Amino acid sequence: MISSKILKIALASTLIAGSLGANEVIKGSGASFPYSVYQKWLKAYNKETGVKVDYIKKGSSKGIKDAKARAVDFAGTDKPLSPKVLKKNNLHQFPGVVGAITMGYNLPNMQDVKLSREAIVMIASGEIKYWDNKVITQDNANVKLPHEKLTFVHRADGSGTTYNFTYYLSKVSKSWRKTYGAKKSLSWPGDHHIGGKTNSGVAALIKQTPYSIGYIDYADAKNNDIAMATVENREHKFIKPTLKSFQAAAAKASLDPKKDFYAVIADPKGADSYPMVAATFILVPTEKANMNKNVTKFFDWSYKNGQEIAKSLGFVPLPDSLTTKIRAYWDAKGIK
């Protein structure tokens, strides 16, 4: 006869594991932007619950493809899908975490470079050829910028980081918006650029290329000890990339469950807001209710227990007001 103590332990294990088999793994893929925080979350979750979660960084484009093809149990994307596209592909969507895109640079023996909104657009468009261009020097009176050719480093793969960066450029510049717009991949203008796969690839190129600059998530820049520019926000204040300035920006975000949280939050209002922030999202198939419940258990645990992990990597944990909306969304979709 089974003792009540053993029965309680078995029941608890069932509640934690849901419908997972003994050797089954929750499989995810996609955006590299949130990779560092997801990796720490899944390791901590496995340690506490015994449930295995795997997440491979491929870029948002491949993550979306994997979600549509049902190649994974969940996918990460920094480019949110519209309710129309979600419905067409039978997908649900909810935010995972908020992070920031920085302008990382490699200037020997030089720190604290300031970049205006105009300068960032002109660097991306190839209009700025040298570091001592007056558009940069006018905001760096106390810095001796070299007369060296500037190399712009960008993502070579389809990327939500690229989408959010070009979305930001589109908000800053009417010319950029009309000519290039916001895209996951781009044929970059000019002849001053090189591309790397995933944010880790961009970090590697910046580190090995003197006088380079590129857009890269804060976590990868920090982990690789890459200098990050102080950038001008929409209130014309120069803001350093810090958790505090990211939190100020994230507080302005409007993520509505009635729209499947579809929103791009770049260039928010606020004197203290860092301008290049991005929410990253999770996609799950509508028809896999049991597995979806395992996925949402992982993210529910992460929302509750992963805040300090997120903060340590420079990500902004989602506020309680938003996670309450996400849980209600899960309930409404039958995936909690």
Side-chain angles (χ1 to χ4, degrees), residues 100-107 110-113 115 120 123 131 150-154 161 165 194 199 202-222 224-231 241 274 276:
I101 299 167
T102 70
M103 295 301 291
Y105 61 89
N106 181 346
L107 282 173
M110 201 164 293
Q111 298 290 325
D112 200 24
V113 171
L115 292 176
I120 293 172
I123 288 169
W131 274 101
L150 178 152
T151 300
F152 177 61
V153 185
H154 58 81
T161 308
F165 180 63
I194 54 175
N199 282 306
V202 171
L205 282 174
I206 292 173
K207 289 198 75 171
Q208 69 191 35
T209 310
Y211 307 107
S212 63
I213 184 168
Y215 60 95
I216 181 174
D217 69 291
Y218 176 85
D220 273 296
K222 183 181 177 183
N224 286 279
D225 199 28
I226 292 171
M228 294 172 268
T230 298
V231 297
Y274 184 80
M276 292 184 287

Side-chain angles (χ1 to χ4, degrees), residues 107 109-114 137 139-146:
L107 282 173
N109 304 314
M110 201 164 293
Q111 298 290 325
D112 200 24
V113 171
K114 294 179 180 177
T137 59
D139 295 309
N140 293 277
N142 298 320
V143 178
K144 179 65 175 176
L145 290 161

Side-chain angles (χ1 to χ4, degrees), residues 117-133:
R117 296 157 76 79
E118 181 185 12
I120 293 172
V121 173
M122 291 179 69
I123 288 169
S125 66
E127 295 172 78
I128 289 180
K129 305 291 186 183
Y130 291 89
W131 274 101
D132 59 353
N133 185 290

